[in-house]
Amino acid sequence: MRIRRFAAAAATVAAGALVLSGCAAPQSEIVEGSSLSVAWNQPFYSYNGNTSFGNATANNNITYATLGGFNYYNDVPELVKDTSFGTYELVSEDPLVVKYTIADGVKWSDGTAVDAADLLLQWAALSRALDTPDFDASEFTDPDTGEFTDDFPTDVVYFDSGADPSVGLGLVSTTPEVSDDKKSITMTYDEPFVDWELQLTSPLPAHVVAKNALGIEDNQEAKDAIYDAIENDDAEALAAISSFWNSGFNFTEMPDNTDLVLASGPYMITDFVADQYVTLTANPEYTGDNLPKVEEITVRFITDPLAAVQALQNGEVQLISPQATADVAEALAALDVTVIGGYEGTYEHIDLQFDQSKSGHFNNPLIREAFMKVIPRQEIVDKLIKPLQEDAEVRNSQVFLPGAEGYDESVAENGSEAYAEVDIEGAKALLAEAGVTNPEVCMLFSSTNPRRANEFLLIQQSAAQAGFNVTDCSSPDWGGLLGTPGAYDASLFGWQSTSLGVTNGPPPTYTTGGINNLNFYSNPEMDELTAALGKEFDPDAQIEIMKQIDKILWDDFYGVTIFQFPAVTAYDQNAITNISPSTLAPTIFWNIWDWEPVSADAE
């Protein structure tokens, strides 16, 4: 076993931490006939990672390779501009005006040009500026699947992106200006926003949305229909467009309509077998800087970490990045593979439902506080994490990465110390004050994740001593259920950092209605702070705001943080090279175009 290590980068809240690079990747040639396989621990289920249902690492790993964008993070991590896809420029600071332009020759894999129609639709979806006011979609969500029901009204405009009018593209309330050549859009923000460079993410094909939503056959007519609907605020057309944008790209096997997997990036989906694998093939229409070297990459879904190790040993896959356990580390040590360890930019935590819990118990803050007191955080770290990382510690902040500037100061003030040790008697007293006995807590987590199953058992045993009845609500489809009203009471999962932007975490997660606000948390003071964070350009002031956010979350009994993920990536160095995991999502996939087969028949 060859061992390399990487450590999680110390998170920063400084706007200046975004390192811009205009360096283009070297041009490469595909190794004809080459194929490689990689294992991931959860099946793909949605091509739209910008919805509350589809926003999951398992989906975004795939779309990262298939949907082009204006920038991405490398493994330093630094923000890299991909000028071969397009450019953006700061036209004005006051007001904040940003112009996006698609580069010449950029096409979808059906040969249709990527242009302003795609960007304009992305703005409409990620700003929600055209949504029907005051519409609540929660009552139209299926508690068993997390998807919208057939009863969802057809006469409302609702883009399920979780956008908020106080942050990000929510601050672009005026329809962007489209250039005469239909290559650019210019957006004017209502107020300054510190992370403006990270807002217009990789767009979906607008012509595909319009063709399916409006029954149009011609690609150009479909693009024109997008312009007309948005620029004229056509509620009837936008209702159909938003409905398809929300749900039309959800599928668990290769769709009959292959327009749904059109690509603008280096790879395209060419096969998808439910619960088994997705096949990515080099996109023949792609002419950008990140030209791939491997002709075909198969992403196999292997939920059991030890099964992933076995697949690597058997040569079924050449690259794995399973959830690290002591058994995984021991099994890898016996193989002739290269292992990269360290910490990830992901942390384990438990969120408590506020307004839509299954039992209704957690509507009462006394019961939330009592449950937080019985979660054996230190025991979980000692038994499950320290065998992998001897220096592992309990994470005590909801917003700061351990080791980052502001972490120690925030931990000293945020109130997490009250949950440093299990307090059974304190929990019993709170339950008595609340007037409840043996409250049931339905806990959602991944049913295919051994480490989470072990965590659940430790929590269940500890909580029982105080009178809680913690029940197993695990599911293989846990990701799609996270934002589903009434599906559970508490959730156990990991948040993975996707950028160094100061607004990457708090606004979408803790703002009322944010895309990552999956437990229906709402606090007006929090909304004010998350809005203020996006408008604050002073790094020291940003830290102070984040410290306030951290304290409010603990004061509100939001839930608990547990540990920073230990990382393990292993690959067959005799079959694949240029593997360099990043601490940020999409971790191992960030440079998928650089992966190179050692031999053309490696598989």
Side-chain angles (χ1 to χ4, degrees), residues 18-26 64-65 67-85 88 197-198 200-202 266 286 288-291 498-500 582 584-586 589-594:
L18 302 182
V19 181
L20 304 180
S21 170
C23 300
Y64 177 84
L67 297 176
F70 291 96
N71 52 41
Y72 60 90
Y73 280 96
N74 62 18
D75 58 342
V76 174
E78 299 169 326
L79 188 66
V80 180
K81 291 182 179 180
D82 184 0
T83 56
S84 66
F85 178 82
Y88 53 89
E197 289 190 75
L198 305 175
L200 200 62
T201 55
S202 304
Y286 181 77
D289 289 338
N290 296 323
L291 291 170
T498 58
S499 83
L500 296 181
S582 173
L584 300 176
F589 291 94
W590 81 265
N591 69 334
I592 187 171
W593 48 81
D594 287 332

Side-chain angles (χ1 to χ4, degrees), residues 83-377:
T83 56
S84 66
F85 178 82
T87 58
Y88 53 89
E89 64 173 304
L90 184 62
V91 178
S92 167
E93 293 185 355
D94 188 15
L96 179 60
V97 179
V98 184
K99 181 179 181 180
Y100 291 85
T101 302
I102 298 295
D104 292 338
V106 179
K107 297 179 181 179
W108 292 103
S109 49
D110 66 351
T112 303
V114 177
D115 60 19
D118 305 304
L119 301 182
L120 195 62
L121 176 59
Q122 193 76 336
W123 163 80
L126 301 189
S127 71
R128 296 180 58 192
L130 305 177
D131 277 19
T132 300
D134 303 321
F135 173 70
D136 183 5
S138 62
E139 61 183 290
F140 303 104
T141 304
D142 187 330
D144 295 323
T145 66
E147 296 189 83
F148 291 136
T149 65
D150 293 337
D151 295 330
F152 195 97
T154 58
D155 59 348
V156 299
V157 182
Y158 180 78
F159 286 99
D160 181 34
S161 65
D164 180 84
S166 64
V167 295
L169 290 187
L171 290 168
V172 185
S173 60
T174 303
T175 302
E177 179 184 345
V178 177
S179 63
D180 291 339
D181 63 1
K182 299 294 194 293
K183 299 274 288 186
S184 303
I185 68 169
T186 301
M187 303 191 306
T188 300
Y189 283 73
D190 301 330
E191 300 178 37
F193 186 69
V194 63
D195 288 330
W196 60 268
E197 289 190 75
L198 305 175
Q199 298 312 300
L200 200 62
T201 55
S202 304
L204 290 165
H207 65 291
V208 171
V209 174
K211 287 169 71 175
N212 285 273
L214 304 177
I216 299 171
E217 295 185 4
D218 181 78
N219 288 349
Q220 187 55 53
E221 288 180 13
K223 284 180 177 290
D224 292 340
I226 291 291
Y227 291 125
D228 291 342
I230 293 175
E231 292 174 346
N232 297 319
D233 197 4
D234 182 342
E236 182 178 358
L238 286 171
I241 288 169
S242 63
S243 177
F244 188 83
W245 189 90
N246 292 337
S247 304
F249 292 94
N250 297 340
F251 45 83
T252 55
E253 60 185 355
M254 194 67 180
D256 293 334
N257 179 5
T258 55
D259 279 357
L260 299 181
V261 293
L262 288 189
S264 57
Y267 283 96
M268 55 190 291
I269 295 176
T270 53
D271 195 11
F272 179 15
V273 176
D275 298 321
Q276 294 188 41
Y277 61 83
V278 163
T279 299
L280 301 174
T281 303
N283 178 3
E285 294 290 342
Y286 181 77
T287 58
D289 289 338
N290 296 323
L291 291 170
K293 297 179 174 65
V294 181
E295 186 170 11
E296 182 179 280
I297 294 175
T298 300
V299 181
R300 301 189 183 279
F301 312 135
I302 305 178
T303 56
D304 185 334
L306 285 175
V309 175
Q310 186 66 51
L312 180 64
Q313 181 179 10
N314 295 343
E316 298 166 16
V317 298
Q318 289 74 52
L319 169 64
I320 65 174
S321 188
Q323 192 166 91
T325 67
D327 290 340
V328 166
E330 182 179 357
L332 287 174
L335 304 183
D336 180 24
V337 296
T338 297
V339 178
I340 307 173
Y343 283 102
E344 294 182 11
T346 305
Y347 66 95
E348 192 83 331
H349 69 293
I350 294 175
D351 289 351
L352 308 183
Q353 292 289 74
F354 275 65
D355 183 48
Q356 303 279 351
S357 69
K358 184 173 185 178
S359 68
H361 290 310
F362 284 153
N363 290 3
N364 188 331
L366 292 173
I367 303 177
R368 295 200 303 272
E369 181 182 6
F371 189 67
M372 286 170 60
K373 285 182 175 292
V374 300
I375 298 173
R377 299 194 297 153

